Amino acid sequence: MTGLPMDVSSEELLEHILASLNDDKAEDIIPIDLRGKSSMADYMVICSGRSSRQVAAISDKLQDRLKQNLGRLSKLEGKDQGDWVLIDAGDVIVHVFRPEVREFYQLEKMWMAPTATGARN
């Protein structure tokens, strides 16, 4: 590793993120394609951890793996509470929730809603 970020596509970044989440036993992993829907990122990934401790651990491991394997620095928000951690990896935004918090906010329903059924943009 040279310390410089590897030039990877958003799809390759997504693959690395999904592999990390699977390795750490994240549950109900849902990748959402944002291309053409939002300029903030190409993909969003939503997943759950069983407890605040697991949510924090999944997030820490993902941040470490992105840095070690791809040279990518990512921003973490919400880790201290452990209910909902947001990891900004650039082209991919990851949300790691405790199940109750995920159910309350229902982000995937908002982003996966079909636009053809009259939903507002």
Side-chain angles (χ1 to χ4, degrees), residues 8-109:
V8 295
S9 69
S10 56
E11 291 79 13
E12 290 169 314
L13 178 60
L14 177 64
E15 286 179 31
H16 281 278
I17 288 169
L18 294 175
S20 177
L21 296 174
N22 278 310
D23 287 349
D24 291 328
K25 310 288 189 259
E27 298 178 346
D28 301 320
I29 302 167
I30 298 179
I32 301 170
D33 189 343
L34 297 179
R35 295 172 297 178
K37 296 178 188 173
S38 173
S39 60
M40 73 174 156
D42 288 343
Y43 295 96
M44 177 185 299
V45 178
I46 300 172
C47 65
S48 299
R50 290 182 299 280
S51 65
S52 295
R53 182 175 287 180
Q54 188 188 24
V55 167
I58 289 168
S59 304
D60 278 340
K61 285 278 194 110
L62 176 57
Q63 185 179 40
D64 288 345
R65 287 179 179 133
L66 290 173
K67 183 177 179 183
Q68 295 300 319
N69 299 340
L70 302 178
R72 280 200 177 224
L73 299 178
S74 53
K75 297 177 188 167
L76 251 66
E77 293 185 29
K79 192 183 91 163
D80 292 340
Q81 293 79 24
D83 290 332
W84 174 3
V85 180
L86 181 140
I87 302 106
D88 182 350
D91 294 333
V92 182
I93 306 292
V94 182
H95 298 273
V96 186
F97 287 100
R98 276 190 316 103
E100 304 81 24
V101 178
R102 181 177 180 174
E103 179 62 30
F104 180 79
Y105 286 103
Q106 298 187 3
L107 278 187
E108 56 262 52
K109 288 185 180 177

